[in-house]
Each structure stands twice: as structure tokens, then as C-alpha cells.
Amino acid sequence: MTKKITLFPIIILLILITLFSCKKKPEVKPSSVAAEVEEYQRTFDSTAVDSFFDSYPLLKKYQADVKQLYRKHQYHYVWFDKKGINEFAYLLYDKTNNLKEEGVETNVPYKETFEEIHNKPVEKQKPSIETELLHSCLYFFYTMNVYEGLDSEKSKEVEWYIPRKKQSYISYLDSLLTNPSLINKEEKNLIGQYFLLKKALQQYRKLEKQGGWNAIDTDTSFNSYQIGDSAQAIAAIRKRLFISNDISNNSGSAVYDKELSEGIKSYKQRRGYLVNSKITKSLIADLNIPVSERIKTIIINMERCRWVSGDIPKSKELIAINIPAFQLSYFKNQKVVLRSKVVVGKTMNKTVIFSAPMKYIVFSPYWNIPSSIKKNEILPGIAKNPNYLAEHNMEWNGNNIRQKPGPKNSLGLIKFLFPNSNDIYLHDTPAKSLFERETRAFSHGCIRLAKPKELAVEILKDNPDWTPEKIEEAMNSGKETWYTLKRKIPVYIGYFTAWVDNENQIHFYDDIYKRDEKLASLLFEK
């Protein structure tokens, strides 16, 4: 007999298993910290960027950079952490509120909006796309104004043709987000002279707040003052020089004494003038330039510093010419090994601001007459005087004219070539008396050296084949000799009307080509 099997207990068991397995599990809530992390680390929609700039049109110039920044960061927030707006955002906001310290005369776009954001309590600073993008624009506003300045097309308008290095501010931001204090150590982006001028700017603004200096009045019969003279104007001059730290004591005396004489020499040295004790009408007019104008000059030259790559001063070897200072400085390992007075181009033949590597030294050079000088000076001279060429030690060289080597050659006994489209080079000159003048803009554009032999000796110092005696012999041989440098030396021809020296003294130079005026119109009216 077959045993009957009942299925009822099995069915009941299956039903119970199904009921228990389908029961909903209790929801586990994330901790508040985890929720915050999730919020500030989340991404946002890329289309939000374009709509943001529609709402903030004054920031559109930064749109391309902002898009590139967020493509790199895959549209993650970069200005927030778990506490709210991060440390660097606050630091950046403080820096932009003090742009005048950087010599930047412009206002922050949407300043009131930033004030509203940063006046909120920290606990209310939740991630928002608007706040995020505003701070990215603020970052590019700051870096482009402080590190880059006017764009390269604008700098060319003021005849600055030294190539400008393009900075990657997006990569730099990654470093700042990791270590915000780096923004106070800007040497990577700016040359050291910038910071010296920045310090001078603070000093001169302090002088301005204290009232600056009063204009010095002189009577109509005044011509000049010498040591021993007495006049009320002398007391005023003494006070003026005390304010600018050219003398350490203001006795109030109206007698021109030795102490005041030293102050006059100090001032003239800082102005690039011939250093003597004579007080003239032109010197008093110079002393009367108000402190506000000196502040503008400092700001103008801080801007020029932004156009110089931070790598340039770190070059192992460098020749720099400052046109308004009429001076050449030769650097080795960031130290000056030679300074020389120079003569630069006159106003009608301005020396160009540019850079190029020096490749050759030419001893006893021919002077190949430029076509413009040939046309305007030599040919008319020949027309008036058939012996013109012989009298000037010149000769025809094919269809061109050249001056033969020798002590009367206009290039002197040596020249230094850094081939360039401007046809500018450094050279000796027989006209040595020009170096004793205060203003030395007399050439056709090339740069004449007061110390050409000394420069050659310093350049060839490590070459045993070119001793000072050999250099002297080659310079006076009467036979043109070319030497190719084993290492190219970068030459930079710049234009700075304010410069701070190693003793932290600021020098002001005359704006001989009126380039400050043009730059001022771009800086103070933008």
C-alpha cells in the first residue's frame, strides 16, 4: 500500500520564507559629516557656466579660462570645503580688497556681491554654483591684473617688444588651493624689482598722507646757489630733501652748508644727473614735482615689471640696458660685474625695447652705413664736397658705403652684435665727451658704450686666448676681426623711469621718449 504524502506543511514554510525575505530593510542615514562631504564634492552641470556669464556680463573676459578650469576639475567645486567657503577664497577676497598696494588702479567687478557673500556667517556658506563661479572669476581678475597686467597687444602700443611669457594660472591655482600662503610669495610670477617698487609705493603713499612736500619758491633774481649762499629757499630745499630721506637731519638753516650739499648730491645721483653741489632753477623745478606724480611713476613701472618674465633675472648671464637711465648693467650669477654709461637713440631715432642673444664681438669694425644715413647725410655731403669720403675715412663697397676701421670710426674700436630686425647693437665711440652729459640721447638708435673694452674683457674673462692684452691688440689692429661667442648672452633693452637699487634707494629718470604718458593713459583711464 502506497504511503500518502501531504504538501501542506511545505507550502506553509515557503510562504513564511517569502514574507520574511520581502520585508523592507530599515534605511541607514548617512552621518552629517558624510552628507557635507558629498555636498561640496559634488559636480555641477557644465551648462551653468554659460548662463552664469549671461547674468554677470562684466566677467565675460574670464569665461574661456573658467571653462578650462572646470574641464580640468571635471566640474567639481574648488572654492568650498566641508566648512563652507575655503581658506584660499577668503585670502583671495582680502587680496583683491587691497589692490592699490599692488599699484592696480581698478575696481573689482560686482564688489557689492562679493561683500554680501563674505559677510555671511561661515555656517551659512553652503556650496552654490553662483558663489563658486564668482570666485573663479575673482581669481582670474586678481592674477591677470597683478601678475600679467595689460595684454601684450597693449604693451606693444607703448613700444615694448620684449616677448612676454604666458603664465598658466590654472595650474598655479592648484598649488594655491593646497597651500594658500603661496599667494604672499609671488616671486614665481614677478621679478624682484616689482616688490622693491611696491615697498617704495607704500612709502610714497605714506608721504602723501602726511602732506608730501611744499613747492619751493625762489625770488626772480635767482640763478643758482653755491655752498655758503643764504636764502629762505635754501631752508625749504633742506626740508624737501629731509622728507625724501636725502639728508638725515633738518636743521632749518637757510645757509647752504656741507650737509645740504651732500643731500643735493644724493638727490642728483638718484635722478641720474651729474653729481655736483650746484642748485639751479631746473633742479628746483625737479624738486617741486609733487609726490602724487612720483606715485604715478612708481605704478607705471610696476606695470612694466609685470611684462618681464620672472625667469629673466635668474639667468646665469645677462646684459640689461635701461634706456632712461642711460646705463648698461652686466650680470653674472645675479650679481652686477660691470656698469657702463651709454648713449641711446635721440627722439627721432628711438632705441627699441626688445631682447636678443649676443653672438659676436667684432674688433676694429667697419661701419656699414645704413641706407637712411647714406641717403640723408652721406650723399648730400658728397654732393657738396667731392673729398667727403676720404676726409671721413669712408669708401664705396659695391653700391654701399662703409667707414674703414680705425680710431675715427663712428663705431669706435669694437662692437657687440646680437642680430635683430632693428639693426641695433652695442659699440664703442670716438665721441667720449657725450658720456659726461646728463641726457645722453644722441645716436641713430644703436647704443654707444663708455666702457667697451671693459665689457669685452668681462665677457671673455674665462677664455685664455683673449687676455686683456690680446683684446687691446685686436681693437687697434686696423683689421676687422670677428669672434663668435661660445655661449650666447641674453641682451635686454628696457625702459624704466623708476628703479630701486640694492640699497633700497629709489631712482627716478626722465621720460625721454614720453612713453610714461601713453602708458598712464592706459592704466589710469581703463
Side-chain angles (χ1 to χ4, degrees):
M1 179 175 169
T2 307
K3 191 174 182 180
K4 196 171 183 180
I5 299 174
T6 177
L7 296 175
F8 182 74
I10 297 173
I11 293 169
I12 295 298
L13 179 62
L14 289 172
I15 290 170
L16 290 173
I17 292 171
T18 302
L19 287 172
F20 279 104
S21 63
C22 292
K23 189 175 180 181
K24 189 176 180 181
K25 294 180 180 179
E27 184 179 352
V28 179
K29 292 184 178 181
S31 68
S32 59
V33 173
E36 288 178 5
V37 170
E38 182 180 338
E39 186 178 6
Y40 80 82
Q41 288 187 342
R42 65 188 171 91
T43 61
F44 58 85
D45 188 346
S46 62
T47 60
V49 177
D50 288 330
S51 59
F52 166 83
F53 284 103
D54 289 337
S55 301
Y56 292 93
L58 296 180
L59 301 174
K60 271 190 175 289
K61 64 190 295 185
Y62 310 116
Q63 188 167 358
D65 292 295
V66 168
K67 282 187 172 182
Q68 186 180 347
L69 169 66
Y70 287 103
R71 280 196 295 269
K72 179 181 179 182
H73 286 269
Q74 299 177 322
Y75 292 91
H76 282 87
Y77 286 85
V78 298
W79 297 101
F80 287 89
D81 57 25
K82 62 185 179 181
K83 297 178 182 177
I85 294 178
N86 62 29
E87 178 188 353
F88 181 55
Y90 282 104
L91 185 55
L92 176 65
Y93 175 69
D94 289 339
K95 296 287 280 187
T96 53
N97 278 337
N98 293 285
L99 280 177
K100 287 182 74 69
E101 292 182 6
E102 306 293 339
V104 176
E105 300 288 321
T106 191
N107 296 319
V108 179
Y110 306 106
K111 183 175 173 61
E112 297 79 8
T113 304
F114 283 105
E115 287 175 349
E116 185 179 343
I117 293 169
H118 283 268
N119 285 333
K120 285 182 182 178
V122 174
E123 61 271 14
K124 292 187 178 181
Q125 298 286 9
K126 301 299 182 183
S128 88
I129 295 174
E130 183 181 41
T131 300
E132 173 72 14
L133 296 177
L134 277 168
H135 281 82
S136 292
C137 290
L138 188 67
Y139 170 73
F140 289 114
F141 167 82
Y142 179 84
T143 53
M144 290 180 184
N145 275 282
V146 175
Y147 299 155
E148 185 174 320
L150 296 175
D151 63 44
S152 58
E153 291 306 311
K154 290 288 186 183
S155 58
K156 286 176 183 176
E157 285 183 27
V158 289
E159 303 171 74
W160 186 280
Y161 301 109
I162 297 174
R164 295 174 60 180
K165 184 179 178 181
K166 183 66 178 174
Q167 302 285 355
S168 175
Y169 300 120
I170 293 173
S171 298
Y172 182 52
L173 177 57
D174 291 337
S175 301
L176 293 171
L177 290 168
T178 304
N179 185 0
S181 65
L182 288 176
I183 200 170
N184 295 316
K185 301 175 182 178
E186 297 159 330
E187 291 85 352
K188 179 182 177 183
N189 300 288
L190 297 162
I191 62 171
Q193 181 61 206
Y194 176 89
F195 300 100
L196 295 174
L197 286 170
K198 179 179 175 180
K199 184 177 180 181
L201 178 63
Q202 293 171 344
Q203 294 168 344
Y204 272 68
R205 281 196 168 135
K206 183 179 179 181
L207 286 179
E208 187 177 42
K209 286 181 179 178
Q210 294 170 347
W213 47 74
N214 296 324
I216 300 162
D217 295 323
T218 57
D219 58 51
T220 54
S221 62
F222 166 73
N223 187 31
S224 66
Y225 293 127
Q226 309 281 354
I227 293 178
D229 289 342
S230 177
Q232 193 57 44
I234 290 174
I237 293 169
R238 190 186 302 276
K239 182 178 180 181
R240 163 68 178 82
L241 295 178
F242 174 72
I243 292 172
S244 59
N245 291 319
D246 289 290
I247 55 174
S248 58
N249 174 55
N250 179 18
S251 66
S253 172
V255 178
Y256 189 0
D257 55 19
K258 190 172 188 340
E259 182 180 41
L260 181 59
S261 169
E262 292 305 312
I264 291 293
K265 289 177 182 178
S266 168
Y267 183 83
K268 288 187 174 184
Q269 191 268 336
R270 291 194 302 111
R271 290 288 285 113
Y273 295 157
L274 295 178
V275 179
N276 56 45
S277 301
K278 195 172 185 180
I279 299 175
T280 61
K281 288 182 178 180
S282 61
L283 179 63
I284 289 180
D286 196 86
L287 287 165
N288 283 342
I289 294 173
V291 69
S292 59
E293 288 301 310
R294 294 303 189 204
I295 287 171
K296 283 185 180 179
T297 300
I298 293 170
I299 290 172
I300 285 166
N301 287 277
M302 288 175 73
E303 175 67 20
R304 290 188 175 117
C305 286
R306 295 185 180 100
W307 306 343
V308 180
S309 168
D311 297 333
I312 291 174
K314 299 171 187 173
S315 302
K316 186 175 181 181
E317 204 167 4
L318 169 70
I319 292 174
I321 297 102
N322 186 8
I323 295 170
F326 307 112
Q327 187 178 75
L328 173 147
S329 300
Y330 181 20
F331 296 84
K332 286 184 177 179
N333 298 316
Q334 291 90 57
K335 292 184 179 180
V336 177
V337 294
L338 178 72
R339 291 200 195 278
S340 174
K341 293 180 179 180
V342 300
V343 169
V344 299
K346 48 195 171 187
T347 305
M348 295 298 293
N349 304 98
K350 298 175 184 175
T351 298
V352 181
I353 301 169
F354 75 105
S355 63
M358 183 183 291
K359 297 180 180 180
Y360 311 103
I361 300 177
V362 184
F363 301 95
S364 291
Y366 282 98
W367 179 36
N368 297 301
I369 312 295
S371 57
S372 60
I373 298 177
K374 173 187 169 183
K375 177 183 176 181
N376 298 325
E377 299 179 29
I378 309 300
L379 294 180
I382 294 172
K384 292 178 182 178
N385 177 10
N387 295 320
Y388 182 93
L389 291 183
E391 290 175 5
H392 290 82
N393 200 32
M394 295 179 179
E395 63 183 11
W396 285 97
N397 181 35
N399 292 323
N400 300 313
I401 297 173
R402 65 183 183 182
Q403 190 174 39
K404 292 184 256 186
K408 293 183 179 180
N409 186 290
S410 294
L411 304 185
L413 303 175
I414 188 170
K415 68 179 179 180
F416 305 81
L417 299 181
F418 37 102
N420 59 86
S421 59
N422 304 297
D423 199 25
I424 289 177
Y425 45 88
L426 311 178
H427 64 86
D428 182 22
T429 176
K432 305 293 186 185
S433 62
L434 295 179
F435 295 110
E436 301 309 313
R437 300 197 184 184
E438 285 183 345
T439 300
R440 296 190 290 276
F442 300 107
S443 79
H444 288 88
C446 286
I447 298 168
R448 306 176 192 176
L449 302 173
K451 298 179 180 179
K453 179 187 172 183
E454 292 87 338
L455 180 59
V457 168
E458 194 61 52
I459 289 173
L460 300 171
K461 197 169 190 177
D462 299 325
N463 189 330
D465 295 331
W466 285 98
T467 63
E469 293 74 23
K470 286 285 187 181
I471 291 170
E472 178 78 26
E473 181 182 338
M475 288 173 64
N476 291 281
S477 68
K479 178 183 176 182
E480 186 175 80
T481 303
W482 284 59
Y483 174 75
T484 302
L485 296 179
K486 294 180 179 178
R487 61 189 187 281
K488 297 174 185 177
I489 303 174
V491 177
Y492 288 88
I493 302 173
Y495 195 94
F496 291 91
T497 51
W499 190 266
V500 180
D501 64 21
N502 292 334
E503 284 73 45
N504 289 316
Q505 282 199 323
I506 188 164
H507 298 243
F508 293 101
Y509 303 111
D510 290 339
D511 180 20
I512 59 170
Y513 295 157
K514 306 304 177 189
R515 286 172 170 156
D516 279 11
E517 294 178 11
K518 176 67 174 176
L519 182 50
S521 69
L522 297 173
L523 289 178
F524 302 117
E525 296 176 14
K526 64 179 182 176

